[in-house]
Amino acid sequence: MRLTTKSSGFILIFTLSIITISILLITYVSQRSSSHISFAQLCINRERASTLALSGVQLAMSQIAVAAQGTEKAAPTEVDHAKELLITLFGSYGEWQTFKLHEKQDGFDGEIGFCITSESGKIDINAIYDFDKKKFKGEGQPQGDYKKYIQMLFNIIQPKIKGAQLFEAFEKFLKERQYEVQDVTELLTLKEFAPFKQHLFYKPTEQPLFLTDIFTVWTKKMTLDPWLLSRSLRTVFNFQNVWAPEWKERENMKEKLKQFTVKTDWTAKTWNSMMTQFTNIPFENLPKEMGNIWDDTFNPEIFSVISYAKIGTMTQHVLAIVQRNTSLGKNDVSFEVTIKKLYWL
């Protein structure tokens, strides 16, 4: 007697199961590979953008290091170097300078931009306050009372940012300290300064006031440079905020700076002849509380550089505090720029 078994159905089911499992495995591996490739590309773009953002800082540093060129008959003077720096900065001061990258020329598509501002156009917290005596410099004096000056400043700022009790919180913060302020961002520990959390670092394309565009801790000066006043303080003082187009033209700048000197006594006459044309504010209309807070020497050393780079969907921002130093050579004068601090934004 012969016994036979029918296994064709079993083999078919087994084969289909193997095929199904294989399809599932292939699909899973494919999806994982696809997401890994996308993630890897994001990482590559992030590193490229970070490197390019730092490159933007270097481009800005090269502009800050600009020096006047002499002629065969004469070497450039201190005034020549100062004018060259002003002419270079005024073309785009406080504005983005952007450059496009193209795959054919640069290896990939992208964008890089940077913006230069000067710390000498901001209020140095440590310079206006005496931490030993626990009071503002010049407090109670008829002239140069920085307590009245800061009160006036915050009275203007408060309604613009919808804040309250800014001066009281600021004064208490300084009185309770045993040492100087290390970074302007420390003010964010005060609840009254919460409105600045979204407006901490300067953004050229936005209008609100920015905390680190009003205050600094880098200059060690009680005075402000009127030539390079920050955009936020220009807003506070109601100065013209947009550089007039004629100030962007190099030849027009040379003409307008004919009376420029490195040292200037800012009287009504000198202010009205040089500064009114791009502030729109005559000397007589400046706030009385300010007194003569203008720096009489043009010698900006510390600058802020905001730089960004965009590759694909990835954008990286960095803020650098840089210092400009004079370098004396055997036959000429040059300027070196070094990075003091970096913030990744």
Side-chain angles (χ1 to χ4, degrees):
M1 183 176 180
R2 179 182 298 179
L3 297 175
T4 60
T5 59
K6 296 182 180 180
S7 59
S8 58
F10 169 76
I11 295 173
L12 177 62
I13 293 172
F14 179 76
T15 303
L16 290 174
S17 298
I18 294 296
I19 293 173
T20 302
I21 293 171
S22 299
I23 292 173
L24 289 173
L25 286 173
I26 292 171
T27 303
Y28 174 77
V29 171
S30 176
Q31 289 177 342
R32 295 283 294 188
S33 300
S34 177
S35 62
H36 175 74
I37 292 172
S38 299
F39 178 72
Q41 188 60 52
L42 282 176
C43 291
I44 292 171
N45 288 346
R46 182 180 62 185
E47 290 304 312
R48 284 178 173 175
S50 298
T51 302
L52 279 176
L54 292 174
S55 299
V57 174
Q58 294 296 324
L59 288 172
M61 289 167 64
S62 67
Q63 290 189 5
I64 295 170
V66 67
Q69 300 298 312
T71 64
E72 294 181 359
K73 296 181 180 180
T77 64
E78 182 184 13
V79 175
D80 293 329
H81 290 305
K83 279 186 179 180
E84 189 68 23
L85 178 62
L86 268 178
I87 291 170
T88 301
L89 293 178
F90 270 3
S92 54
Y93 187 71
E95 298 177 354
W96 286 122
Q97 298 183 55
T98 58
F99 304 89
K100 295 288 186 180
L101 302 176
H102 302 284
E103 187 173 2
K104 289 185 178 180
Q105 292 85 7
D106 307 297
F108 49 85
D109 294 324
E111 182 176 293
I112 184 172
F114 62 87
C115 167
I116 302 173
T117 58
S118 173
E119 295 297 289
S120 62
K122 306 171 188 178
I123 301 166
D124 192 309
I125 298 173
N126 297 324
I128 64 171
Y129 193 81
D130 190 323
F131 290 91
D132 293 326
K133 297 180 179 179
K134 302 297 180 184
K135 65 178 184 179
F136 289 92
K137 301 285 182 68
E139 189 172 330
Q141 297 179 3
Q143 297 291 329
D145 187 337
Y146 276 84
K147 182 174 183 177
K148 290 183 179 179
Y149 168 49
I150 298 300
Q151 281 179 318
M152 177 271 297
L153 185 76
F154 280 127
N155 286 338
I156 298 174
I157 291 174
Q158 277 183 179
K160 292 181 180 294
I161 66 167
K162 298 180 181 179
Q165 305 297 313
L166 291 181
F167 175 77
E168 290 78 6
F170 183 72
E171 184 179 32
K172 181 181 178 183
F173 170 76
L174 296 178
K175 282 188 175 182
E176 291 177 349
R177 293 184 69 89
Q178 303 301 318
Y179 51 89
E180 293 185 341
V181 179
Q182 303 301 306
D183 197 285
V184 175
T185 57
E186 292 180 47
L187 292 174
L188 291 183
T189 60
L190 307 176
K191 64 178 182 179
E192 291 82 0
F193 280 73
F196 281 113
K197 287 184 177 180
Q198 300 302 318
H199 305 293
L200 179 57
F201 295 108
Y202 175 65
K203 297 177 182 177
T205 55
E206 295 186 12
Q207 292 299 324
L209 305 177
F210 298 90
L211 187 61
T212 57
D213 198 45
I214 298 172
F215 294 108
T216 184
V217 294
W218 291 98
T219 66
K220 311 304 179 188
K221 289 185 177 182
M222 297 169 61
T223 51
L224 297 173
D225 188 337
W227 294 103
L228 300 175
L229 199 64
S230 73
R231 177 173 163 183
S232 293
L233 285 181
R234 291 177 70 87
T235 299
V236 169
F237 300 143
N238 202 30
F239 287 0
Q240 175 177 294
N241 275 328
V242 180
W243 298 106
E246 60 267 21
W247 285 83
K248 295 178 180 291
E249 298 295 334
R250 187 176 180 85
E251 293 305 316
N252 287 334
M253 274 295 296
K254 287 182 178 180
E255 181 67 25
K256 289 179 177 292
L257 292 176
K258 275 188 175 181
Q259 300 181 56
F260 172 83
T261 58
V262 173
K263 294 186 178 295
T264 307
D265 180 15
W266 291 111
T267 62
K269 180 179 179 180
T270 54
W271 178 275
N272 291 335
S273 64
M274 285 192 284
M275 304 304 294
T276 301
Q277 57 187 325
F278 76 100
T279 63
N280 284 344
I281 302 292
F283 189 84
E284 296 77 14
N285 291 349
L286 293 173
K288 297 287 190 294
E289 295 86 350
M290 292 172 63
N292 193 6
I293 64 164
W294 307 116
D295 196 339
D296 60 5
T297 302
F298 179 79
N299 184 32
E301 294 182 343
I302 309 293
F303 295 84
S304 290
V305 176
I306 305 170
S307 176
Y308 78 89
K310 183 176 181 180
I311 305 292
T313 60
M314 185 62 65
T315 303
Q316 294 285 290
H317 289 81
V318 64
L319 168 64
I321 304 296
V322 302
Q323 183 170 5
R324 184 181 193 252
N325 299 306
T326 305
S327 178
L328 300 176
K330 291 184 178 179
N331 302 314
D332 60 0
V333 175
S334 60
F335 298 93
E336 298 175 343
V337 181
T338 56
I339 296 176
K340 304 292 289 183
K341 193 168 185 176
L342 277 175
Y343 302 85
W344 283 100
L345 307 182

